[in-house]
Amino acid sequence: MTAALVGLFTRREPIAAVAGSPEYVRDSLMSRTARAESTTAVAPPVEMRIPGLGERLAYGAGDVASNLVFVAVSAFLTFFYTDVVGIAAGTVGTIFLISRILAALFDLAVGIAMEKLSLRGGKALPWLRWLGVPFGLSVALMFSAPGLGETGKIVYAFLTFNLCATVIYSAINIPYGVLASLMTKGQYGRALLNTFRMVGCYVGSIAITAATLPMVKAFGGGSLAWTYTFAIVGVLVAALFLVTYRFCKEVVAPAHDSEDAAELPRHQPVKVGATLRSMLGNRYWVILLVFGVVLNILLSLPAVSMYYAKYILRDESIATGILTLRMVAELGGVLLAVPVVRRWGKRNACLVACVAIVAGQLVVAGSPLRLPVVMAGQAIAGLGAGAILGSIFAMVGDVIEHEEWRSHVRADGMVYSGISVGQKIGAGLGGTIIGTVLSLSGYAPNGFGGAQPDSALMATSFLFIWLPAIAAVVMALLLIGYTLDKRYASIVAELAQRRAGTRAGDLPRD
């Protein structure tokens, strides 16, 4: 892992030609056309570039910011609403479900806006500039609890959660997610950006899981302590997104915007209805859409750690250790995924990762009351989850290229936001499942004298141990139909041919 980490931060070029690199595309074109002059069909060098170290770090900073918020919501917000604010678990689940449906719709609206608006400064970067500071402010509001009465606190929770996690989160994270596909067209360059994004993801995740409860305690506990803590987090969030805006560059333009567009009449501007129909006919897009739903149910389940530590292991403070170890293990999974992806491809790396998640959960099931066993199982499962996250966003970038190849329209924003719809639905379902299962089991906030009924303890164990394993099995089944890794090089080669005005090969559009 050390070697992988050192190579990640120091290497600017791959040792050999890899899929998506200029050399790989050139070689693919030569074999397809059998003409020496076919090297002219390679995409412009600036679009196939490998972003420098500073730019990669700046891109990763955006996901540090995102995950300071995302993990705060997934790991702490349910507990904050139930045990600090005093909202019933079933009501919290309903808030999450309605809000995530709204977030899914808003994701798609942002994607459409990105295709329709012509903004000065780029397609994605201006959104980061405008929304970084409002995003930071909304975080502090979400973790505040003014005295508004029983109904008032529910309404306030719904409004502030949606301001932060629906409106602003979507409006800044859809452009951020698209940004990698606009920074380079090379598959290796995108893989590097995705890895730096995932490293940033876990820097933010580890920081927020390790620091939140100690900071709340340092501020004296209670609702105001949570607000002070997340006011500081909000300042960091705003600053980090402004770093991403300042140091990242967009260089990729759609093929129909190239100088030889007149020779390519089949390239059309983005039409929302036609693009949506085309995406629904793209099996790889549909697979990632459903995969995103299940994955985000899985990623919502660490919120149960708070309840498992408090009521099963009988020590609420243990949750910090469990969550932090999980995030460190996931970071390790991201780094280990790099050599596995280069050797066997993204799909196969994710399949192995699903096996690791199931194995880790079975370890916990073997001795669920022993903290060392629980920690070991969470570490194994975390390695698997991290490996998936180390691959999934690069897979989305590949699907963007595949959709342009099959439809002759490049719609980065709509393709990414469409998949993000599935992620938001999954996150909403995850929160709803937690709230509903706890509510139906008879869970009471803070327990009866610090205890819960046996039915609530059984429900907590199911959510913590068995539901993640079930989700991993479903994800593995979905990945069986994902074969884009084998075809990506020829797809990029044909897109390069189109840009150069050469005749494309007759590949099936599926």
Side-chain angles (χ1 to χ4, degrees):
M1 185 185 302
T2 302
L5 183 60
V6 171
L8 171 67
F9 280 88
T10 59
R11 287 178 56 192
R12 293 288 301 273
E13 301 288 344
I15 294 175
V18 296
S21 69
E23 294 84 358
Y24 194 100
V25 174
R26 182 183 66 238
D27 293 344
S28 298
L29 287 170
M30 291 180 71
S31 65
R32 285 167 57 87
T33 63
R35 294 165 49 195
E37 65 269 29
S38 65
T39 55
T40 61
V42 183
V46 67
E47 293 193 353
M48 301 301 295
R49 73 193 182 109
I50 297 176
L53 177 60
E55 201 170 356
R56 291 179 233 162
L57 288 169
Y59 183 70
D63 227 41
V64 176
S66 292
N67 281 276
L68 288 173
V69 180
F70 179 84
V71 175
V73 169
S74 63
F76 298 112
L77 191 61
T78 302
F79 183 83
F80 175 75
Y81 283 158
T82 59
D83 284 38
V84 178
V85 181
I87 301 175
T91 302
V92 173
T94 302
I95 289 173
F96 284 160
L97 179 61
I98 295 173
S99 300
R100 292 308 187 181
I101 292 172
L102 294 175
L105 297 174
F106 200 76
D107 277 2
L108 191 56
V110 172
I112 293 171
M114 288 187 68
E115 306 302 342
K116 294 295 185 181
L117 297 177
S118 179
L119 303 177
R120 184 176 181 180
K123 187 174 186 177
L125 287 172
W127 297 77
L128 277 59
R129 180 186 183 184
W130 298 335
L131 294 172
V133 172
F135 192 29
L137 291 172
S138 70
V139 175
L141 292 175
M142 182 171 62
F143 278 93
S144 60
L148 299 174
E150 289 300 314
T151 302
K153 65 185 179 184
I154 294 172
V155 172
Y156 182 84
F158 179 82
L159 292 177
T160 54
F161 177 71
N162 278 279
L163 174 65
C164 178
T166 298
V167 177
I168 303 180
Y169 189 92
S170 292
I172 201 168
N173 268 275
I174 295 300
Y176 172 75
V178 170
L179 181 59
S181 67
L182 299 172
M183 290 171 68
T184 179
K185 211 168 187 177
Q187 197 174 25
Y188 181 71
R190 285 183 180 171
L192 279 177
L193 287 173
N194 183 67
T195 302
F196 273 76
R197 175 179 182 172
M198 288 298 98
V199 171
C201 162
Y202 287 107
V203 169
S205 299
I206 293 167
I208 200 69
T209 54
T212 295
L213 294 181
M215 288 178 68
V216 169
K217 184 177 180 180
F219 283 121
S223 61
L224 276 179
W226 286 84
T227 304
Y228 295 152
T229 297
F230 282 95
I232 294 172
V233 172
V235 172
L236 292 174
V237 166
L240 288 165
F241 265 119
L242 292 176
V243 167
T244 304
Y245 164 76
R246 173 64 180 81
F247 294 103
C248 291
K249 293 179 288 187
E250 296 183 20
V251 299
V252 174
H256 58 266
D257 285 344
S258 63
E259 294 178 358
D260 45 334
E263 301 178 31
L264 302 170
R266 42 186 190 165
H267 289 296
Q268 300 295 328
V270 174
K271 296 180 180 179
V272 174
T275 300
L276 285 174
R277 288 191 296 272
S278 179
M279 287 158 51
L280 289 171
N282 185 328
R283 68 187 177 105
Y284 301 121
W285 183 86
V286 173
I287 287 172
L288 288 191
L289 173 68
V290 180
F291 188 89
V293 173
V294 182
L295 175 62
N296 279 269
I297 291 175
L298 175 71
L299 295 177
S300 299
L301 297 178
V304 184
S305 299
M306 294 289 295
Y307 301 96
Y308 196 86
K310 185 174 183 178
Y311 298 113
I312 304 294
L313 300 177
R314 309 299 296 173
D315 186 350
E316 181 181 331
S317 65
I318 291 174
T320 296
I322 294 174
L323 289 167
T324 302
L325 176 65
R326 171 75 180 223
M327 296 305 164
V328 171
E330 289 186 10
L331 174 57
V334 169
L335 298 176
L336 289 173
V338 175
V340 176
V341 166
R342 290 191 68 187
R343 184 173 180 84
W344 291 306
K346 304 179 190 71
R347 192 280 297 266
N348 292 337
C350 289
L351 283 171
V352 173
C354 289
V355 173
I357 293 172
V358 174
Q361 297 305 125
L362 290 177
V363 168
V364 178
S367 189
L369 299 180
R370 293 184 59 199
L371 179 60
V373 175
V374 172
M375 299 286 272
Q378 286 297 291
I380 296 169
L383 285 171
I388 292 174
L389 290 169
S391 307
I392 186 66
F393 293 106
M395 292 166 73
V396 175
D398 294 351
V399 170
I400 288 173
E401 303 300 332
H402 179 260
E403 179 59 24
E404 181 183 8
W405 169 78
R406 69 189 294 275
S407 69
H408 303 278
V409 173
R410 186 174 186 88
D412 308 73
M414 287 189 64
V415 173
Y416 186 91
S417 66
I419 291 174
S420 182
V421 166
Q423 295 170 348
K424 293 295 175 64
I425 291 173
L429 287 174
T432 301
I433 289 169
I434 293 171
T436 301
V437 170
L438 289 177
S439 180
L440 292 175
S441 70
Y443 173 83
N446 291 307
F448 301 100
Q452 295 288 347
D454 288 344
S455 57
L457 298 179
M458 291 177 61
T460 302
S461 295
F462 169 76
L463 292 169
F464 185 77
I465 299 172
W466 296 110
L467 189 55
I470 294 170
V473 171
V474 174
M475 289 190 295
L477 294 174
L478 288 169
L479 287 170
I480 293 173
Y482 186 91
T483 58
L484 183 56
D485 286 354
K486 297 178 180 178
R487 307 178 59 198
Y488 183 80
S490 62
I491 287 170
V492 171
E494 185 172 335
L495 288 172
Q497 286 180 315
R498 293 180 192 174
R499 183 178 295 280
T502 59
R503 182 174 178 77
D506 294 324
L507 297 176
R509 302 309 195 258
D510 60 3

